[in-house]
Amino acid sequence: MHRFAVWAPGAEQVDLVTSPGPDEVRQPMVRSEGGWWRDDGPWAEHGTDYGYCVDGGPLTPDPRSAWQPVGVHGPSRVFDPERFEWHDDGWRGAHGGVGALGAVIYELHVGTFTHEGTLDAAIPRLDDLAALGVDVVELMPVAAFEGRWGWGYDGVHPYAVHEPYGGPEALQRFIDAAHQRGLGVALDVVYNHLGPSGNYLARFGPYFTDDHHTPWGQALNLDGAGNLAVRRWMLDNALRWFRDFHVDALRLDAVHELKDDSPTHVLAQLADETLILSRALERPLDLIAESDLNDPRMVESSQADGMGMDAQWSDDLHHALHAALTGERQGYYADFGSLAVVRQCLTRVFRHDGGWSSFRGSDWGRPVDPDTHDGRRFLGYLQTHDQVGNRALGDRIGALLTPGQQAIGAALVMTSAFTPMVFMGEEWAASTPWQYFTDFSDPDLAAAVRNGRRQEFAEHGWNADEVPDPQDPATRETSVLRWDERRDGDHARMLAWYHDLIALRRKEKVLTNGCLREVLVDSDEDAEWLVVRRGDLRVVANLAEQPQAVPLDGEPIDVVLAWDPAATSLRDAAVDLGAHGVAVVRVARS
């Protein structure tokens, strides 16, 4: 059952329209306190179609619409989340009740995870993720956006689940199925902007402001006139995923673009309210930020003047590994590439921690204190949707490296003090690229996206004709995972390597303690080798194109895991590795 209410503080009249069409019913709403308009009629049933007309304007979807069955421009539909029959009564949270910190996270895009591109089609594949050793499945945004296919970051109805994915009940089915397999679910949410097609919030009130700006235009109004209702629109949305959909964690997109000069930043407020809900639900609820600020304050307690996020993505580790392994130095890779930078990021998280960033043209970031900051509060990864899809051709790391080089990168992530994350298909070095695709119906908008994409890469030296057309359905089709290739050759070998790394991580407690001050890294730039010390384990990597002996700080007694066992052997205080070889060995305790 549903009671209609909408915030429209500047309106003179708001009409509720139910069953839009020839038999529609139009009813004036009653002005209430705080700029809200309410309907005093009977409670609405699940499945009722409706919309609002503000001051005689066109029918407009609800800003809090939970269901957009005919697209982002059509009427809203009442959704009752309590109709669903859950089977996760014994669920006590992700990662055995610990939560997302230290878990193995798997990022996936619903629309390309399977050929069907739906939440229901993804459910059978959850068994594969559980077998791999994944703890938390992170869904890229599912908020309703225009068209059938897209990345999801141009959503315009944050409360609704994209209908081509299956709609809101399909999300409940997916999460219920994940929990039955012991998998937590994180949801990627976007509050820093709305997409360009289907954004009707301005018809209702000051959801956005000219006082602050973002790369997408006006910023969300978090500190101007009317901000309390806008903040509640954001906060209620976040809490609703935890409460009504049993989500375990939220990944908050580009939080540095949430401009808020209020005494309490909206992120800190969200952290406090999430903690209260977590206690009420008796399970961990995690907030994971994507932040470009390189500021550990993001993961410090709100009571200590931090933002209160449980964890944040760490692009610096990605950049350090990518640049060292591929040799790329363009753009934001300019300050990365050396093994010294890899060492810094593995032990101190950020490359830019207060010093000069050539890409930004300024000093950037703040240092992480390894004595007080838990490494698990930072996500480490070799690939993400951004770092693959924002390349001109969407080429994955496996297309740029030898299998041994990818194995090195995976080993350094999985044995780090960070919370590791895998991008879908990475675990078997998927041959399919992951490209940028859209499905806008407005030809002018489609042309602008297409031309903008090509111009951007042309400025970086690419042939514009080589850049895939985002609007071409083939671009999405090309990006769909080919699950059958996992059983073949190097793909199967890589899958086994990721499985074994995750199993080792679970077995060896020293790999999951998050203690940055206990991570020690030895390296040699000229010889191209790296050794990471974790307790009595040594992660030994040969980045050179020829075999070599890598020196150790102690006597090796056992090869725990090796990418190429036939080319791996122990000697006094050293390990022999083949070209692009990597192994985990145990040394005698001193």
Side-chain angles (χ1 to χ4, degrees):
M1 304 291 285
H2 179 77
R3 180 71 77 181
F4 294 109
V6 67
W7 183 65
E12 296 295 327
Q13 178 180 338
V14 178
D15 293 332
L16 167 67
V17 180
T18 53
S19 303
D23 301 320
E24 70 182 26
V25 176
R26 185 176 294 256
Q27 176 69 33
M29 302 184 77
V30 177
R31 186 191 296 272
S32 183
E33 68 286 346
W36 283 84
W37 296 76
R38 305 184 188 278
D39 174 57
D40 294 332
W43 289 73
E45 298 284 347
H46 173 89
T48 301
D49 288 345
Y50 71 101
Y52 300 112
C53 294
V54 179
D55 291 333
L59 184 74
T60 306
D62 186 352
R64 293 183 176 227
S65 173
W67 197 357
Q68 290 295 125
V70 294
V72 298
H73 306 291
S76 302
R77 180 171 291 173
V78 172
F79 175 73
D80 181 2
E82 297 183 4
R83 287 167 49 94
F84 185 76
E85 183 179 351
W86 291 92
H87 303 88
D88 64 351
D89 289 346
W91 182 251
R92 291 295 174 264
H95 197 199
V98 176
L101 268 65
V104 175
I105 300 176
Y106 188 96
E107 186 191 24
L108 72 84
H109 175 262
V110 174
T112 51
F113 190 58
T114 65
H115 177 74
E116 298 86 349
T118 66
L119 287 156
D120 285 330
I123 288 175
R125 290 298 176 190
L126 292 175
D127 292 322
D128 297 295
L129 303 188
L132 178 64
V134 168
D135 297 302
V136 177
V137 178
E138 179 183 310
L139 297 177
M140 288 175 60
V142 300
F145 55 88
E146 192 195 38
R148 177 167 179 78
W149 305 119
W151 280 18
Y153 294 95
D154 53 4
V156 291
H157 287 286
Y159 280 74
V161 176
H162 192 50
E163 190 66 15
Y165 288 170
E169 190 168 323
L171 180 59
Q172 291 179 313
R173 290 193 295 269
F174 179 90
I175 295 172
D176 194 42
H179 286 175
Q180 291 177 65
R181 291 162 172 80
L183 297 169
V185 177
L187 184 62
D188 197 336
V189 291
V190 183
Y191 299 127
N192 49 58
H193 77 289
L194 266 65
S197 182
N199 175 8
Y200 300 112
L201 292 183
R203 293 181 182 177
F204 293 93
Y207 280 87
F208 292 88
T209 175
D210 279 320
D211 292 343
H212 304 290
H213 284 83
T214 75
W216 307 281
Q218 292 178 311
L220 191 66
N221 177 21
L222 299 171
D223 54 12
N227 77 83
L228 294 181
V230 177
R231 291 168 77 97
R232 283 264 50 101
W233 174 80
M234 172 185 160
L235 295 165
D236 291 348
N237 177 267
L239 299 175
R240 168 181 176 269
W241 296 121
F242 291 132
R243 184 185 61 248
D244 296 344
F245 288 82
H246 296 200
V247 164
D248 299 285
L250 295 178
R251 183 266 190 186
L252 301 159
D253 183 67
V255 297
H256 48 276
E257 299 298 350
L258 292 172
K259 314 291 188 178
D260 185 7
D261 293 333
S262 304
T264 299
H265 194 282
V266 70
L267 289 178
Q269 183 178 354
L270 174 59
D272 292 342
E273 294 190 17
T274 298
L275 179 59
I276 292 171
L277 181 60
S278 174
R279 290 169 175 166
L281 297 178
E282 298 182 329
R283 59 185 177 90
L285 305 175
D286 292 305
L287 299 171
I288 303 171
E290 180 199 26
S291 172
D292 185 49
L293 301 178
N294 279 27
D295 190 343
R297 180 173 173 246
M298 188 63 61
V299 295
E300 293 170 355
S301 166
S302 59
Q303 283 70 43
D305 198 34
M307 293 300 181
M309 300 293 99
D310 297 287
Q312 73 164 77
W313 282 28
S314 178
D315 274 356
D316 279 21
L317 178 61
H318 166 273
H319 297 349
L321 293 175
H322 184 97
L325 292 168
T326 67
E328 293 184 355
R329 300 291 186 276
Q330 73 275 19
Y332 46 65
Y333 295 132
D335 294 336
F336 298 85
S338 70
L339 294 184
V341 170
V342 173
R343 179 173 62 244
Q344 177 178 340
C345 291
L346 285 170
T347 59
R348 298 294 187 270
V349 181
F350 297 139
R351 161 67 177 89
H352 297 121
D353 57 2
W356 181 256
S357 166
S358 63
F359 176 70
R360 299 177 178 92
S362 66
D363 289 340
W364 200 261
R366 291 178 59 236
V368 169
D369 183 350
D371 290 324
T372 59
H373 289 106
D374 189 330
R376 292 170 296 187
R377 294 196 178 276
F378 303 93
L379 268 63
Y381 34 80
L382 189 58
Q383 299 182 85
T384 71
H385 74 273
D386 271 331
Q387 305 303 337
V388 177
N390 282 329
R391 297 176 66 85
L393 302 180
D395 41 345
R396 294 170 175 268
I397 197 76
L400 308 174
L401 304 177
T402 67
Q405 287 174 310
Q406 180 174 341
I408 291 172
L412 293 176
V413 169
M414 286 296 172
T415 61
S416 72
F418 292 43
T419 292
M421 186 176 74
V422 176
F423 180 58
M424 64 176 196
E426 173 191 334
E427 71 273 26
W428 74 79
S431 66
T432 50
W434 200 74
Q435 299 173 338
Y436 180 70
F437 48 88
T438 56
D439 188 24
F440 294 121
S441 60
D442 182 340
D444 292 335
L445 178 58
V449 170
R450 179 185 301 114
N451 295 334
R453 185 84 174 169
R454 289 176 173 171
Q455 179 180 349
E456 175 186 356
F457 287 107
E459 293 172 354
H460 291 85
W462 285 87
N463 183 340
D465 293 334
E466 295 180 351
V467 178
D469 179 0
Q471 286 285 122
D472 186 345
T475 304
R476 178 264 168 183
E477 290 295 327
T478 300
S479 302
V480 175
L481 288 176
R482 292 174 47 197
W483 286 85
D484 57 331
E485 68 181 5
R486 297 176 307 145
R487 297 186 290 270
D488 301 333
D490 285 341
H491 298 299
R493 184 184 180 195
M494 190 66 71
L495 181 61
W497 179 245
Y498 273 76
H499 174 276
D500 292 347
L501 283 172
I502 294 172
L504 177 67
R505 181 180 172 82
R506 288 187 169 182
K507 178 182 178 182
E508 301 286 348
K509 299 302 181 184
V510 70
L511 297 180
T512 56
N513 64 18
C515 189
L516 288 166
R517 68 175 178 272
E518 294 179 2
V519 179
L520 302 173
V521 181
D522 306 316
S523 64
D524 188 301
E525 295 281 349
D526 296 330
E528 296 183 277
W529 58 257
L530 187 80
V531 178
V532 181
R533 305 189 218 170
R534 302 296 311 273
D536 62 349
L537 296 179
R538 302 293 181 266
V539 185
V540 189
N542 173 20
L543 284 75
E545 296 182 358
Q546 61 279 333
Q548 66 175 323
V550 179
L552 295 178
D553 60 303
E555 188 67 25
I557 59 174
D558 182 30
V559 177
V560 180
L561 187 63
W563 168 250
D564 187 356
T568 304
S569 61
L570 305 179
R571 62 167 71 182
D572 291 343
V575 180
D576 287 316
L577 290 173
H580 297 162
V582 58
V584 180
V585 303
R586 198 180 307 276
V587 299
R589 294 181 181 274
S590 58

